[in-house]
Amino acid sequence: MRNARLWRTLLGVEKTVVEAIDFDDEAGVLVASVRPTGSVRNRCGICRRRCPKYDQGHGRRRWRSLDAGTVQVQVEADAPRIRCREHGVTVAAVPWARHQAGHTHHFDAQVAWLATQTSKTAITALMRIAWRTVGAIITRVWEDTAATYDPFANLVRIGIDEISYKRGHKYLTVVVDHDSGRLVWAAVGRDKATLGTFFDALGEERCAGITHVSADGADWIAAVVAARCPAAIRCADPFHVVKWATEALDEVRRGAWNDARRAARTGEAKRGRGRPSKDAPARPHSTLAAGVKNSRYALWKNPENLTEKQQAKLAWIVQTDPGLGRAYYLKEGLRTVFKLPYDEAGEALDKWVAWARRCRIPSFVKLQKSIVKHRESILAAIEHGLSNGRIESMNTKIRLITRIAFGFKSPEALIALAMLSLGGHKPVLPGRN
């Protein structure tokens, strides 16, 4: 009796009778023969209702348990089938493992914890399981975890964004709670239908309780939020708005570089190989092209972060190419708007729009139309101090999870691991509180 209790504790099984312990010399595996107690016998593996027995199934089967030192341990028991009124003929539930799983609860819990802490390769070596098995375990652990709490409770201010998780334009749509900083929801895709499934899960009553939504300027996000949460204040992410200006600036830089290269090809004599002679004619267009090409980071970075060399490069750009210099000041002018208090930001933004409208730089003339379109959400972001900073941080962590895991065969496993790691309910090691 004492040995049975000891082995039940070591195996981490409850409501289970340990019948025998044997060592399989051929496989090098410790085998624990067990059976469920009467209170949990002949229950449906899905709904856990007591059901009439159907047959003995395919005989005895085994489940992987945590290793005992260096020896692999397996739990062996009969696997009868029952007839459930709701789910039909299915394998009876066992108290030591999930339905249709080949591993015990403790084994799954340890794999899930390791998946949030280390690489998938390390898990497969330590736990002696296949590459795809880790993803399957993570998915079923997350399904059980998600059933224990309400992920949408007290959801008031949310951020929405998309993230690429695989080459070939494979995206996830993610939703983050601004107040708690946790990942609330994620799904494959980045379109209206994908985001609509989130609001379907949220329900009409909770949709009405959403007060603020931050996102980039994607029309598909704005359309769904306007339809499902009409009372919510939509805030445009300042980072993405400034990114639009940076992209417009880079378009001007590339145009200036191409113009200088074209002028160098058509208006300057070609030189031979080697160092030019002292009396060789100057090549101003080639010099300009080389200078513009190497000015990307001087133009992109914030002025306070420029090195001395980049400051000199920026001063040279402003003197040699007034159009590119004007584009740089337009970018910085828009960035400055987000530093102003709300009372001053509206007027400053209107002045910037007027400046961009008459600047005669096509990329900024086009940009000001987008700014006018999103003016209300831009000012709302300044007033309420909301940005997608939390979401961008979350996306970085998801990318790190993907890199640590060296890729997943299915996005569902990635979503499950992201939710386990970032959803506020991390798995714990067996035997720990």
Side-chain angles (χ1 to χ4, degrees), residues 213-331:
V213 179
S214 70
D216 58 17
D219 291 336
W220 61 274
I221 296 179
V224 175
V225 171
R228 306 300 292 271
C229 300
I233 299 173
R234 298 190 296 276
C235 302
D237 178 38
F239 171 81
H240 282 90
V241 175
V242 176
K243 183 182 177 182
W244 298 342
T246 304
E247 290 172 350
L249 170 62
D250 204 48
E251 185 177 335
V252 178
R253 183 193 64 81
R254 290 196 303 269
W257 177 51
N258 289 327
D259 291 342
R261 291 173 63 207
R262 195 177 301 111
R265 285 197 301 268
T266 58
E268 294 178 349
K270 293 184 178 180
R271 287 178 177 172
R273 293 183 178 180
R275 182 178 297 177
S277 60
K278 292 182 180 180
D279 56 349
R283 295 167 57 86
H285 295 298
S286 297
T287 302
L288 178 61
V292 172
K293 179 182 179 181
N294 298 322
S295 66
R296 174 185 294 180
Y297 293 108
L299 294 168
W300 279 7
K301 290 175 67 174
N302 298 337
E304 62 271 17
N305 298 330
L306 293 175
T307 64
E308 292 185 6
K309 186 177 180 179
Q310 289 169 341
Q311 290 175 359
K313 173 66 72 175
L314 182 60
W316 178 83
I317 287 291
V318 171
Q319 292 177 359
T320 56
D321 193 327
L324 183 55
R326 189 162 66 254
Y328 169 78
Y329 289 128
L330 278 162
K331 185 265 290 186

Side-chain angles (χ1 to χ4, degrees), residues 96-176:
W96 54 82
R98 294 175 173 85
H99 184 57
Q100 294 184 338
H103 310 88
T104 65
H105 287 294
H106 278 16
F107 190 94
D108 283 356
Q110 181 151 314
V111 170
W113 183 86
L114 286 169
T116 63
Q117 305 293 327
T118 186
S119 72
K120 197 171 183 180
T121 305
I123 302 169
T124 57
L126 177 64
M127 304 302 292
R128 292 188 270 199
I129 52 179
W131 182 269
R132 294 187 180 183
T133 304
V134 177
I137 290 175
I138 292 168
T139 302
R140 61 176 176 255
V141 169
W142 166 243
E143 288 176 354
D144 281 1
T145 303
T148 62
Y149 76 101
D150 182 2
F152 305 133
N154 304 318
L155 205 58
V156 177
R157 304 191 306 165
I158 61 174
I160 304 172
D161 201 2
E162 75 274 1
I163 177 176
S164 173
Y165 71 91
K166 194 175 182 180
R167 292 180 180 177
H169 299 285
K170 304 293 184 180
Y171 290 91
L172 299 179
T173 299
V174 298
V175 179
V176 175

Side-chain angles (χ1 to χ4, degrees), residues 61-65 73-77 94 96-97 101-104:
R61 59 169 292 193
R62 292 182 179 183
W63 292 260
R64 271 289 307 276
S65 184
V73 178
Q74 294 184 354
V75 174
E76 184 180 77
V94 293
W96 54 82
H103 310 88
T104 65

Side-chain angles (χ1 to χ4, degrees), residues 10-32:
L10 291 175
L11 293 171
V13 294
E14 297 179 354
K15 299 181 180 179
T16 303
V17 177
V18 180
E19 298 175 325
I21 302 293
D22 298 308
F23 185 76
D24 188 339
D25 292 321
E26 186 175 333
V29 175
L30 192 69
V31 180

Side-chain angles (χ1 to χ4, degrees), residues 188-228:
V188 179
R190 58 160 185 172
D191 51 25
K192 293 180 181 179
T194 303
L195 186 56
T197 58
F198 164 72
F199 288 107
D200 290 340
L202 193 61
E204 292 186 8
E205 184 177 350
R206 287 180 172 176
C207 285
I210 299 295
T211 60
H212 298 78
V213 179
S214 70
D216 58 17
D219 291 336
W220 61 274
I221 296 179
V224 175
V225 171
R228 306 300 292 271

